[in-house]
Amino acid sequence: MEKTAAVQYVYDLLIKMNHQLEQHQQREGLSFLEEIHEHFDGIASLNLTDVHVIDCIGRHEPINVTTLADRIELSKGTVSKVSTKLIKAGWIRRAQLNDNKKEIYLRLTPLGKKLFLVHERLHVKVQHQLFEFLSRYSSEELDVLKRMLSDGIGFLEAMEWQDKNLEPKDMK
């Protein structure tokens, strides 16, 4: 296969994989929300962003809003709005450290910890499935895949940076 045809074939595969990944994530998200609703009564108002905020707090508590926003790559405003909602619903709480009464941190409530564990169990299951899938490849093949994925992430980040710099000034 000539290089141009090979590049086109890889491109087509990436597009197809991206489409399938989006469908899988959508199904997984719905499945996870259904599982949450089975474990917890009356929480129809939770969405995946809420769950990911709870997950990040559970992994890094105590954590402030700024650090939380950086870790999950959302704006501080969005994280503040989501955290206020989660505090009102009883999933998380505000806390202060003994040596720093000025800074406000977020922690999980017992209910939030229970949800965190359900979410963690799902991620472990998915990770196990992905590790099983990847174990069929040799170390050399995995090195090529690591390089391609790292380069791809860099490429997409550069495109995002370029797109942000090309926005009209009045749109920012």
Side-chain angles (χ1 to χ4, degrees), residues 161-172:
W161 182 83
Q162 183 182 17
D163 289 347
K164 285 180 182 176
N165 286 334
L166 292 176
E167 286 180 8
K169 299 290 184 219
D170 61 334
M171 296 286 289
K172 288 185 179 180

Side-chain angles (χ1 to χ4, degrees), residues 54-171:
I54 290 169
D55 179 68
C56 189
I57 294 170
R59 290 179 192 285
H60 305 287
E61 68 180 330
I63 187 170
N64 65 28
V65 170
T66 301
T67 305
L68 179 58
D70 288 344
R71 288 195 183 265
I72 59 177
E73 299 179 358
L74 292 174
S75 71
K76 270 180 62 175
T78 298
V79 170
S80 291
K81 186 185 286 188
V82 170
S83 62
T84 298
K85 171 187 169 184
L86 295 173
I87 288 166
K88 287 179 183 174
W91 297 103
I92 64 175
R93 63 182 175 85
R94 288 185 180 93
Q96 293 176 313
L97 301 180
N98 290 334
D99 60 340
N100 183 355
K101 297 291 184 188
K102 186 177 171 184
E103 186 93 38
I104 301 296
Y105 290 88
L106 301 172
R107 297 182 79 84
L108 297 180
T109 63
L111 186 64
K113 287 180 183 180
K114 187 175 175 186
L115 177 60
F116 171 75
L117 292 174
V118 170
H119 185 249
E120 180 68 16
R121 191 177 71 239
L122 176 69
H123 272 278
V124 167
K125 178 182 165 191
V126 170
Q127 182 181 19
H128 176 73
Q129 290 170 335
L130 189 55
F131 279 23
E132 236 177 64
F133 168 75
L134 291 172
S135 69
R136 69 175 83 175
Y137 298 98
S138 70
S139 294
E140 294 79 18
E141 290 170 319
L142 289 171
D143 285 341
V144 170
L145 187 55
K146 286 190 305 190
R147 180 174 164 228
M148 188 194 88
L149 292 172
S150 293
D151 289 352
I153 290 168
F155 171 74
L156 293 172
E157 287 173 345
M159 284 179 57
E160 182 178 339
W161 182 83
Q162 183 182 17
D163 289 347
K164 285 180 182 176
N165 286 334
L166 292 176
E167 286 180 8
K169 299 290 184 219
D170 61 334
M171 296 286 289

Side-chain angles (χ1 to χ4, degrees), residues 11-24 130 133 145 148-149:
Y11 173 81
D12 292 343
L13 288 174
L14 285 171
I15 296 298
K16 184 175 182 177
M17 184 175 174
N18 185 52
H19 179 70
Q20 296 221 339
L21 182 60
E22 286 175 353
Q23 288 180 331
H24 173 76
L130 189 55
F133 168 75
L145 187 55
M148 188 194 88
L149 292 172

Side-chain angles (χ1 to χ4, degrees), residues 29-48:
L30 291 173
S31 172
F32 177 67
L33 289 174
E34 286 174 8
E35 185 174 342
I36 288 174
H37 292 194
E38 288 175 15
H39 283 82
F40 304 93
D41 291 331
I43 60 161
S45 65
L46 275 186
N47 61 42
L48 285 178

